[in-house]
Amino acid sequence: AAYAYWRSNHTIRMGNFRLTYMGKKGVALYDLASDEKETKNVAAEHPDLVKKMMKALQAKMKQRDKF
């Protein structure tokens, strides 16, 4: 999984999906195969994938905090 951090947003990509964690604003999940411009948040349609990706993202965030 690819991980990126920009300002207060944390992003992880798995396959065609990109999840962005925006702190108190919540999360956004985009299917990049059908929505390259990230216009439709599909998080509500894929709760299990959001949970899986958040777990991976939190692990990456912990690694980043060690530096």
Side-chain angles (χ1 to χ4, degrees):
Y3 168 74
Y5 172 72
W6 176 250
R7 297 186 182 161
S8 61
N9 294 337
H10 298 266
T11 300
I12 192 163
R13 181 169 178 176
M14 290 183 174
N16 291 331
F17 289 91
R18 180 181 4 233
L19 179 128
T20 300
Y21 171 70
M22 302 169 286
K24 292 179 182 179
K25 293 182 182 179
V27 299
L29 179 68
Y30 300 101
D31 181 352
L32 301 177
S34 62
D35 182 19
E36 286 182 8
K37 295 185 180 184
E38 299 180 12
T39 60
K40 183 179 181 209
N41 182 355
V42 296
E45 299 168 30
H46 301 280
D48 291 339
L49 183 57
V50 169
K51 184 184 270 189
K52 177 182 176 180
M53 292 179 76
M54 277 301 299
K55 186 174 182 179
L57 180 61
Q58 288 168 339
K60 296 286 186 182
M61 290 166 66
K62 281 185 181 179
Q63 287 178 344
R64 185 186 73 87
D65 288 344
K66 290 180 181 178
F67 293 102

